Each structure stands twice: as structure tokens, then as C-alpha cells.
Amino acid sequence: MNASDNITESQENYWSKIEKSVLAPILTTEMVLGVLGNGLVLVVKVVCKDHFQCLYWLPLFSLTLSDFFCSFLIICGSLLAVLSEGQISPWCEVVSLLKFTFITSSIGSIAVLCVQRFLGIPSKGKRLSVLMAVACVASWCTGAIFGAVPVAFDWIRYDPAEMLCAVFWESSYSDMMVYILCAFSISIFVPFLLILSCSILTRVGFGKDVSSQGDLSSITPLLVILYLFCYAPFAASELVLLGRLDLSPSPEWLRSLSSVMAYLDCVLNPFIYCTNKDFRKAVLILFRNKGRSVLPDPVLTGITRLEI
């Protein structure tokens, strides 16, 4: 009996070392690219905003802000958890709350962007733009509220497969079902329907999009496709959990895949921004101005008088 236990323990240690050697470089790459890429996009949107057109700038700014903080806080937290094999309180609860907040703020920002393009409502200049701004703020607030519920009821545990603290159900299937259905129907399902319907209607020509072809909002279809692709494992993991009456979690590989793919969305969004020609020019202008500020202009220090 002791021999079999030792063999099982050695196998678990072996696989944990393999997972650490594989996941640590992936998370490091995602964290560095996510922080640098989204940080650069934020700087360009603020400093070089006059060099590219963006009628629907508010949801795009909200999306980039969410991706930046997710890269800086959540991916970094997952990397530290993999290296140290765990997370401690209260950082454990904070990460769990923030992760769901960033998920809902991302899909909410994309939903607002799709609605604005469909209705032709710029982010400034119309009264309805205030309603769009409130919708962006609401996506952040609903995520924070639903993220705080598991913390308040002490449902948070560290999940090695998910590489951070997550919700674990140990007592009641009904509690789990009510929470997941409420959180998903309000924070995920409604924005998903808005994204799907507005994207299709805009694509077939029923929308009132007033932006030009070179507007930054032209990248919206790419943002939608990437988000749905990267968060498909997360949705599948939650659906599998709903179907298990014994409250057992979804497979470990699916939970790990859902985290890595969700982080990948934050990493790739800055590259999608750079598919816009005018935005690329704004990035180059930023670097040129930075280079000029580093190299001082030559100063005339002396004049020699020549007499004829």
C-alpha cells in the first residue's frame, strides 16, 4: 500500500514538473506581450489620437484597459501561482473577483461597440452616447458584483489546473446552478446576443454605421471572432460543470486550456489594432517623436567672426 502511494505521488510530481516547464514559458510570453502590447495601444490612443479616426473610441478604450489589467494582474498572478504552486489569501480572492470582472468588461465593451456600429452612434456628440458610456461602466460593475458573490460565500479555492483561485462547489448543486445561470444570463448571454445580432445585421447591410472605411472600428469583426474563439473553452468548461450533478469539476485539461486561451485574447488584441493602416501610422509617429525627444537638437555654442 505504501509502495503504490509512493508511485502515485512520484507520478503526480513528475507531471506537475512537466506542466510547470510548459505553462511557465507560455504564461510569461502572454504576460509580457499583453502588458507591452496593450500598454502601447493605450498610449497611442491617448497621445496620438489625432492621427487616426475612431468614432467609437469609448468601448475600444474600455476593452484595451481591461486587457491591460488582465495581463498585468491576472496573467501575472497565474504565473506566480504556477511557480510557487499556489496562491495565498487575500490575493486569492482578489484575483478571482478581478478575473470575472475583466471577462464581463471585455464582452460588454465588444457588445457596446457592435451596438454603436449598428445604430451609428458615435462615442461623443449625441445623447445616446451617454447611454453607451453607462453600458460600458455597467459591464465592469456587474462583473465586480458577480465576482464578489463567491468571495462573500467562501466558495473560492485554489485550482492548480486553472492556475489561479476559482469557484469550487462543495455543498449544493442548486446554489451552483442559480449562480451560474444568473451570472451567465446577465453578464455573458445578453452581451453575446447583442454581439451576434448586431454583427450579422451590420454585415448584411441593415446597420447605420457612419464610420469611414479607414476608421479603427473596422477591426470589430476580427475582435468578435477572436473573443468567441478564445473564450469557447471557458464556456465549454462551465457547461460541463452544469451537467455534473455530483459537483465534480470539469476536466483539468479543459480548465487549463480555458485559462490559456482567455489570456491569449488579451495578447492578440493589440496585433488586431495594428491591422488598421492609420493606427499603424500613429504607432510609427509615436516612436519617431520619442526618438527625437531622446536625441537633443544641435545647439550653436559659438560664432566666429570673419573679417574681410
Side-chain angles (χ1 to χ4, degrees):
M1 189 69 179
N2 293 333
S4 62
D5 291 341
N6 292 333
I7 292 174
T8 303
E9 184 177 356
S10 63
Q11 288 177 345
E12 291 178 352
N13 292 333
Y14 173 74
W15 285 113
S16 65
K17 290 179 180 178
I18 292 180
E19 290 177 357
K20 183 183 294 187
S21 63
V22 172
L23 291 174
I26 294 176
L27 294 175
T28 301
T29 304
E30 289 183 332
M31 182 190 68
V32 173
L33 292 179
V35 171
L36 294 180
N38 288 289
L40 176 63
V41 170
L42 286 174
V43 172
V44 172
K45 286 181 178 180
V46 174
V47 177
C48 303
K49 59 183 179 181
D50 297 331
H51 296 283
F52 63 93
Q53 185 179 9
C54 186
L55 289 179
Y56 316 114
W57 62 268
L58 182 59
L60 287 172
F61 185 83
S62 175
L63 176 63
T64 306
L65 197 65
S66 175
D67 290 340
F68 175 79
F69 283 114
C70 181
S71 302
F72 184 71
L73 296 174
I74 308 302
I75 303 181
C76 180
S78 292
L79 176 60
L80 294 176
V82 169
L83 296 177
S84 61
E85 300 181 355
Q87 285 181 330
I88 60 175
S89 183
W91 178 243
C92 176
E93 291 79 7
V94 172
V95 168
S96 176
L97 188 153
L98 291 178
K99 181 182 179 181
F100 195 76
T101 302
F102 296 143
I103 290 175
T104 57
S105 62
S106 295
I107 192 172
S109 299
I110 296 176
V112 171
L113 176 61
C114 292
V115 172
Q116 282 190 278
R117 292 184 74 232
F118 173 67
L119 298 178
I121 305 173
S123 291
K124 61 180 180 179
K126 290 187 177 182
R127 293 180 180 179
L128 288 177
S129 62
V130 178
L131 182 61
M132 298 296 102
V134 172
C136 279
V137 175
S139 67
W140 286 79
C141 294
T142 53
I145 292 172
F146 281 112
V149 171
V151 176
F153 285 93
D154 195 24
W155 294 338
I156 305 299
R157 302 289 184 273
Y158 175 69
D159 183 8
E162 205 165 339
M163 298 168 289
L164 45 72
C165 290
V167 180
F168 270 82
W169 307 99
E170 300 173 349
S171 56
S172 173
Y173 178 82
S174 60
D175 291 344
M176 177 196 71
M177 185 177 64
V178 170
Y179 172 77
I180 292 181
L181 289 179
C182 289
F184 266 66
S185 60
I186 296 175
S187 302
I188 305 295
F189 190 64
V190 171
F192 173 75
L193 287 181
L194 290 174
I195 290 172
L196 202 60
S197 58
C198 291
S199 297
I200 294 175
L201 291 174
T202 303
R203 182 65 180 175
V204 298
F206 287 101
K208 300 179 181 179
D209 185 13
V210 295
S211 63
S212 61
Q213 189 174 1
D215 191 272
L216 186 60
S217 62
S218 61
I219 66 173
T220 302
L222 292 177
L223 292 175
V224 171
I225 293 173
L226 179 64
Y227 188 91
L228 297 180
F229 173 73
C230 289
Y231 277 92
F234 172 77
S237 177
E238 296 300 321
L239 290 176
V240 169
L241 181 62
L242 267 179
R244 295 189 169 181
L245 299 179
D246 59 351
L247 300 178
S248 60
S250 53
E252 291 185 0
W253 67 267
L254 183 57
R255 303 204 303 274
S256 297
L257 180 64
S258 66
S259 292
V260 173
M261 291 298 293
Y263 300 156
L264 184 64
D265 179 67
C266 301
V267 174
L268 295 181
N269 277 343
F271 293 97
I272 292 181
Y273 284 110
C274 290
T275 59
N276 181 270
K277 183 178 179 181
D278 293 336
F279 191 82
R280 289 199 307 272
K281 291 181 179 179
V283 173
L284 294 176
I285 291 173
L286 176 66
F287 283 113
R288 288 173 184 171
N289 293 339
K290 184 66 176 178
R292 290 175 183 175
S293 64
V294 172
L295 297 175
D297 295 331
V299 179
L300 188 62
T301 57
I303 300 178
T304 304
R305 181 178 180 182
L306 298 177
E307 295 183 0
I308 301 178

